[in-house]
Amino acid sequence: MNVTLRQLRIFEAVARHLSFTRASEELHLTQPAVSMQIKQLEQAVGLPLLDQQGKKTYLTEAGEEMYRYACAVTDKLEEAAQVFEELKGMRRGHMSIAVASTANYFAPRLLATFFQRYPDVTVSLDVTNREGLLRALAENETDLVIMGKPPEDMDLVAENFMDNPLVVIAPTNHPLTRKRSRIPFAALASETFLIRERGSGTRSAMERHFAQHGLELSSTMEMGTSEAIKQGVEAGLGLGLLSLHTLEMELALKRVAILDVETFPIMRHWYVVHRRGKRLSTAAQAFKHFLLKEARNLLSLPEVSRPRHKDAG
Ligand code: PGA
């Protein structure tokens, strides 16, 4: 079979996206160039691999088989590239990292320090919520992930490298900010909360915490990002529950206030995670080591002095 690696790579991208447009964008090729390579591959195989129905692209039975082989070949090539990278040591190297949206408030700073030491290492950084990270791990799309505690039913290596306290925030003129004693948890029941989207780790920790303490939230507004929640809280739409890592600027500028509520902060942790058995590039191994050894000392969090409530998730 006279098949080229270039054809396999192009086919893999088209089959993964089920779209010629998305594949050509990803590969920085024109659509006719992609179509031409696929046609030549189909000729070499002697069977149609893709079935174009109107705007939709489907894999034929032979296409499904070819996709499996194309993935296996590209995975092996990547593995070979990593072995050579290891042989070259840390002179050059690449790592792909995916971080929780909340972790993106500190990850660029850690990367900046890391790159001062290893200026020739390159990174691709993906930012998504917890659910997106679990998918990236399941599909082996990334070397390392920075996230809250991963579920135990996935075969992963996860190491805790830093605390992640979650706190309740309010507009600075909110009556609860004037309370001298600790605010009883039950006092939150009548408040409107601005909450993260489903799939967010912060959101599930919040739901777990409220359920554990038998409190139901009567009124919530879902906002997709920590930024939207902070803006909403500042504007007086309600209270928010966010990681302290997201609040550095707002607290320094006194745009929002942390409420001193019983059972808070909820203590989550940051983990550096990868698939068990994953062959990490030298760069990824060095970054993991750096996170475990140094992240805690490089990043300082605003103080919250109260006892901590451990999150079970
Ligand atoms: P999130 O993740 O940005 O998806 O909320 C953070 C976490 O898991 O605590």
Side-chain angles (χ1 to χ4, degrees):
M1 206 172 43
N2 198 6
V3 167
T4 67
L5 278 176
R6 181 174 158 77
Q7 287 165 354
L8 285 184
R9 281 214 178 92
I10 292 174
F11 174 75
E12 187 278 326
V14 175
R16 180 162 33 88
H17 291 297
L18 289 177
S19 155
F20 280 77
T21 320
R22 301 246 299 270
S24 39
E25 279 165 13
E26 178 181 303
L27 299 165
H28 305 292
L29 292 172
T30 63
Q31 264 200 53
V34 170
S35 302
M36 168 72 81
Q37 294 291 327
I38 298 289
K39 202 168 288 164
Q40 286 172 357
L41 181 63
E42 287 181 323
Q43 275 164 7
V45 173
L47 286 168
L49 301 173
L50 296 164
D51 181 14
Q52 191 80 33
Q53 298 284 335
K55 286 199 158 148
K56 291 213 151 161
T57 305
Y58 299 91
L59 288 173
T60 62
E61 196 185 346
E64 299 274 4
E65 288 295 333
M66 181 53 92
Y67 184 46
R68 249 181 352 103
Y69 286 113
C71 289
V73 170
T74 44
D75 280 356
K76 279 283 166 209
L77 276 177
E78 211 172 283
E79 195 180 304
Q82 275 179 16
V83 170
F84 296 129
E85 199 185 284
E86 278 162 32
L87 291 177
K88 285 185 221 144
M90 275 291 283
R91 271 185 295 142
R92 286 184 284 133
H94 182 78
M95 55 186 183
S96 63
I97 298 182
V99 305
S101 349
T102 304
N104 197 40
Y105 282 85
F106 60 80
R109 255 179 287 165
L110 294 176
L111 281 170
T113 309
F114 183 75
F115 287 146
Q116 280 166 9
R117 285 184 219 166
Y118 303 107
D120 294 327
V121 167
T122 54
V123 67
S124 48
L125 177 70
D126 191 20
V127 182
T128 177
N129 67 17
R130 176 178 175 85
E131 197 170 274
L133 296 172
L134 292 176
R135 203 172 318 120
L137 282 165
E139 289 172 13
N140 197 16
E141 280 170 358
T142 184
D143 293 327
L144 293 178
V145 163
I146 297 180
M147 66 184 305
K149 190 174 179 191
E152 268 150 26
D153 58 2
M154 284 177 84
D155 201 9
L156 303 170
V157 176
E159 284 162 85
N160 165 350
F161 68 90
M162 195 166 55
D163 288 351
N164 176 22
L166 307 186
V167 293
V168 179
I169 54 166
T172 46
N173 60 358
H174 193 284
L176 286 177
T177 59
R178 290 191 289 276
K179 280 251 178 218
R180 288 189 173 265
S181 53
R182 285 204 101 185
I183 302 161
F185 189 45
L188 299 184
S190 54
E191 296 287 336
T192 297
F193 264 87
L194 313 187
I195 60 175
R196 286 277 306 274
E197 76 288 0
R198 276 193 191 288
S200 141
T202 309
R203 159 96 173 241
S204 36
M206 172 181 191
E207 288 175 344
R208 246 188 326 267
H209 193 73
F210 276 72
Q212 249 170 30
H213 291 84
L215 202 65
E216 262 194 49
L217 284 166
S218 54
S219 159
T220 56
M221 261 185 254
E222 188 171 296
M223 310 238 154
T225 62
S226 303
E227 281 311 299
I229 292 178
K230 290 188 290 184
Q231 299 286 339
V233 169
E234 193 183 336
L237 284 179
L239 304 185
L241 193 155
L242 288 176
S243 160
L244 206 47
H245 287 285
T246 68
L247 292 168
E248 203 175 320
M249 194 163 76
E250 285 70 18
L251 293 174
L253 298 175
K254 299 200 172 14
R255 289 186 170 157
V256 297
I258 294 183
L259 292 184
D260 184 10
V261 183
E262 271 172 18
T263 76
F264 281 86
I266 304 173
M267 190 49 71
R268 273 173 81 67
H269 299 279
W270 291 115
Y271 288 78
V272 53
V273 182
H274 57 84
R275 286 165 69 107
R276 189 178 302 283
K278 170 99 186 158
R279 226 194 148 100
L280 290 179
S281 66
T282 321
Q285 279 173 34
F287 188 62
K288 176 179 167 179
H289 186 74
F290 167 79
L291 287 178
L292 293 172
K293 287 263 167 298
E294 301 186 46
R296 216 181 288 265
N297 297 332
L298 286 170
L299 301 169
S300 60
L301 276 172
E303 264 307 305
V304 274
S305 54
R306 295 291 177 172
R308 293 149 168 223
H309 183 95
K310 197 165 163 22
D311 173 43

